[in-house]
Amino acid sequence: MAWRARVLSMILAMILLAGSVADAAAHASLVSSAPAAGAVVAGGEVSIELRFDSRLDPRFSQLKLVREDGAAAVLRIEAGGPSDALKATGTGLREGRYRLHWQVLGVDGHASRGDVAFQVGR
Amino acid sequence: MQAFLSIYGMADWILRGVSMVAQTVAVGGALYLPFMLAPLEGPASGRVGLWRFCRRVLVSSALVLCLGQALTAVALTAFLMGSTGADLATAMSADAVIFDLLSACAALALASVARRASGATAALVLLSVVLVGAHAGVTHAASRSQPAAALLAAETLHLFALAAWIGGVPYFIASLRMLEDRGQRAAVAARFSLVSLAAVALLVATGVFMSVPYVGTPEGLYQTTYGLLLGAKAVLLALLLCMGAVNLHAVRRQRRDGCAALRSLPVLAEAEVGVGVIAILCAVALASSPLAADTRAARPDASEISKRFELAWPRLASPAPPPLAADGLRGPSPASAAGGDVFEDETARSPFDIAWSEAHHHYAALFVVATGLVALVSRSGRLGRLGRRWPLLFLALAAYLFIVADEDAWPLGPTGFFESLANPRIAQHKLMIALVAALALVEWRAQAKKFRAAWPSFIFPLTIAGAAALLLTHYGHSGDKQEVLVEISHTPVALLGVIAAAARWLELRLPSPALGRVAGLVWPVAFIAAGAVLLLYRESA
């Protein structure tokens, strides 16, 4: 009967091995952004559009604008846009550096997040 | 909740890996029982026990799949509630949660149908279709901006072919062991060979069909994490095909020479399962990686890649660490030295970090080459009993890694040993080092024949396979250029590790002394080759 134990332990090993793999990045991943990373834009009202390589569930997507002093504001995502993009508008943006933090859920169930740094200049 | 949110990525990844393997075995069984075993004719000796055993494997894998998918759904629901503030009903209405729950229900129904003595073929096949369909619903094909029916169909067929082939192998091994009638064993072997051939053809055809839009350009194959993982999967498939060719040869020979030729088949199939699982894990990593065609991050060009493989003398001089800052930490990274803050690249590495990493990769490579050489020479018997002590080189490697792996921690750095274990990265390193040491001790005793049982000998190839799988699939954290360059140099090492593990397993298990001798030569040579590739490892341009 030893071989039966071997087949069963092989399957158990398969499952344990599957559990031993490490974390990996997930899509959806960012394909393009406006403002682009590192861009300098005029202040006041800034149109934001992030495009991804996957369809998103907008109910579980978030955009947050973080100023260099750490103050953060959650942006309202515009409804009715393309299924692979997030649109919002940043208002009252003063001169300085900003980080646009995004978190999305692709329809394949992979949650991912990232940042786009840009600057508001004169 | 914060603690859960921080480990969610890892938990999701583990659950996906476990579920994918369980699904492959469950669907493989749901196809194997009605189409391989049910049509057998002739004496029933052994068949009742085999049927019962196969059913148990099928039910167990379906239950593991059910649990894995249910936990995936729960974890995603909790993540969505915790990170977006959604209520329970909204979180559970996410597409992926619905697909996960559908899959869990189908797996439970499959286990229930398979438990019955006469599992209905139609129900088994229908539930397999539901399972594979639910899985296809959370793949690249389904999530593309413009989903294409042809890609979805290809993804579904790809998953079915994988299950019919790799998922069927555990049942096939059981059939060869349990069927007492030679004719029945031969009939199952011939039929499974045919199914495997068709499945391989389907896997290759659908794989190539999907990779064209997913990879985009030929450069995507070597400039992105996705492309490199796909390449690794293709090499694993080639390895599986080599084993499959030997199996096919044995099946054909048995028609001429009787069933003696089938004796090696179960052992080759065991190695096939191992390599198949690593290929499945590669597929799980691929499913979590951004498509090469959509990867817009800076990519390494051909000259940057070729520089990483230029022949150069190994860096064997350990660099002097920079002076400690007042707070006990190493000097500033280039980013923070330039006035960095949260907007800077936190992954930037200092020249010291790079020199330290290169030097210690090269020292570790020397240990690996020496292990392979001693193991190879000892086969000739020239080294006598000393030759069987090659595992001690692994022990020396573990001791070396313990000292140098984390330069900020004891014994080289200011952070105490127990204090350093609070850092997950250091704790992970220490765990791996402890495993290497334990592996060396077990294999040393196994080589000295200190164990009565045979199983401790199998720990060595299984651990090497596990380490190779980890090395193959743990990329993708950033997907940036530096990571791709590291992946390019580590992927061949991982693939050589798979070859070494499979060869050592075959050497231990094959009944044929001639084939076993060949396998016994292959694994030390694979070790030497892996060490040689590591000696070329460069992080600096």
Side-chain angles (χ1 to χ4, degrees), chain B residues 150-161:
Chain B
L151 281 173
L152 261 172
E155 195 95 60
T156 308
L157 288 173
H158 198 74
L159 290 167
F160 255 117

Side-chain angles (χ1 to χ4, degrees), chain A residues 3-4 22 25-26 55 59 84, chain B residues 13 93 142-143 145 178 288 341 476:
Chain A
W3 70 268
R4 288 191 192 197
R55 288 186 295 128
R59 294 172 301 166
D84 59 351
Chain B
W13 172 244
S93 69
S143 65
S145 305
M178 292 187 77
S288 302
D341 52 17

Side-chain angles (χ1 to χ4, degrees), chain B residues 36 57 286 372:
Chain B
M36 297 288 133
V57 172
L286 266 177

